[in-house]
Amino acid sequence: MSTIAVTGAASGIGAAVCQHLEAAGHTLIRVDLRNADVNADLSSAKGRKAAVEQTLAACDNRLDAVVACAGVGVTAPSVGLIIGVNYFGVTEYLEGLETALANSGNGKAVIIGSVAGSHMVAQPHPMTAAMLEGDEARSRQIAEELGDPAAAYAASKYAVTVFGRRKSVAWGKQGMRLNVIAPGAVETPLHQASKEDARFGEAVKNFVAPMGRAGVPDEIADGVDFLLSDQSAFVNGSVLFIDGGMDAMVRAHTF
């Protein structure tokens, strides 16, 4: 079976993804801050480098897939941390593993984005532009000056989705695939923390999908299963919304 690296593996969506993949017989390389096969801090360049090096050592430079689940929300200790983990923690980790994925012959990756990323303003914010230019210091600086965790979260998820779609073009030419899942509200510890937050709790509780409930991690993991399977062999550069209709509710005419 395949060897698959999963970031953010210790809880929430990442833990559900690991349960699904392990049940299917895949070999996993779990990546998280602690209690994982690779313990690393994806919020810093040093931590990302360590995560890449340890993952490469664990897979002997041949990797079948990556699922980038690691992320932080609006309750993160700092606004800059949101940028560091949600964008650079994904992009630098994936880029560091490109050769190992190519060595498998048909490497695949799934980025866990967010429905919030599709709701960014029509003209990307300078914070987003800085991320897409690879300027971490500048994007963190803009985020800290703005001081709006919700804007930083949405911008980071928008930027990482753009990154994934751009990267999928080059990957496709090598027989590789990269797709993004955009969950809506999902019952995870991260979502619970947002609901309990004094600043954002009421808005989070009131933003309910047309289906009348939040998702559960297994429903997102089902989407990952599909995107890593042969059933999705011609799916590349796509954004799969698993959000109970949230995106359609907010922007039915934009897709």
Side-chain angles (χ1 to χ4, degrees), residues 74 86 113-121 149-159 161 181-185 207 239 241 243 246-247 250-251:
V74 294
N86 292 4
S114 171
V115 69
S118 67
H119 304 155
M120 279 297 290
V121 292
Y153 179 80
S156 70
K157 293 298 188 177
Y158 173 85
T161 300
I181 289 178
F207 190 42
V239 181
F241 289 93
D243 66 350
M246 272 187 172
D247 186 64
V250 174
R251 49 169 213 148

Side-chain angles (χ1 to χ4, degrees), residues 8 53 82 92 102 129 137 164 172 198 230:
E53 290 175 348
I82 297 173
E92 291 184 13
D230 291 340

Side-chain angles (χ1 to χ4, degrees), residues 6-240:
V6 181
T7 69
S11 66
I13 292 171
V17 166
C18 287
Q19 290 171 359
H20 279 225
L21 296 177
E22 192 167 52
H26 300 293
T27 298
L28 299 185
I29 302 171
R30 293 173 171 83
V31 182
D32 215 306
L33 269 172
R34 57 190 68 85
N35 302 321
D37 303 307
V38 172
N39 296 314
D41 182 359
L42 295 177
S43 70
S44 71
K46 180 180 178 181
R48 295 168 209 141
K49 184 173 184 291
V52 168
E53 290 175 348
Q54 291 178 56
T55 301
L56 291 174
C59 71
D60 197 23
N61 207 33
R62 186 187 182 283
L63 190 63
D64 295 288
V66 176
V67 185
C69 297
V72 294
V74 294
T75 58
S78 74
V79 182
L81 187 72
I82 297 173
I83 304 300
V85 176
N86 292 4
Y87 184 77
F88 292 97
V90 174
T91 60
E92 291 184 13
Y93 185 70
L94 281 176
E95 288 180 329
L97 298 174
E98 276 190 49
T99 299
L101 287 163
N103 287 343
S104 74
N106 62 344
K108 298 175 282 290
V110 177
I111 294 171
I112 304 300
S114 171
V115 69
S118 67
H119 304 155
M120 279 297 290
V121 292
Q123 295 298 319
H125 193 279
M127 176 170 41
T128 306
M131 280 185 269
L132 291 171
E133 290 166 5
D135 191 339
E136 182 171 5
R138 178 64 179 151
S139 56
R140 279 182 177 251
Q141 179 186 0
I142 295 170
E144 294 289 0
E145 289 173 353
L146 184 63
D148 185 343
Y153 179 80
S156 70
K157 293 298 188 177
Y158 173 85
V160 83
T161 300
V162 173
F163 165 86
R165 285 175 58 76
R166 287 178 175 176
K167 183 68 72 174
S168 71
V169 177
W171 279 28
K173 294 174 182 178
Q174 301 178 65
M176 299 160 62
R177 299 192 291 114
L178 198 167
N179 293 288
V180 180
I181 289 178
V186 180
E187 295 293 358
T188 64
L190 195 67
H191 182 59
Q192 185 61 35
S194 298
K195 289 194 292 185
E196 294 172 356
D197 187 86
R199 300 162 297 171
F200 305 105
E202 207 56 38
V204 171
K205 291 173 190 174
N206 291 332
F207 190 42
V208 181
M211 293 184 70
R213 66 172 178 87
V216 296
D218 280 328
E219 291 171 319
I220 312 305
D222 285 337
V224 172
D225 291 342
F226 169 69
L227 290 174
L228 294 184
S229 75
D230 291 340
Q231 291 176 306
S232 64
F234 200 54
V235 181
N236 183 42
S238 291
V239 181
L240 174 60

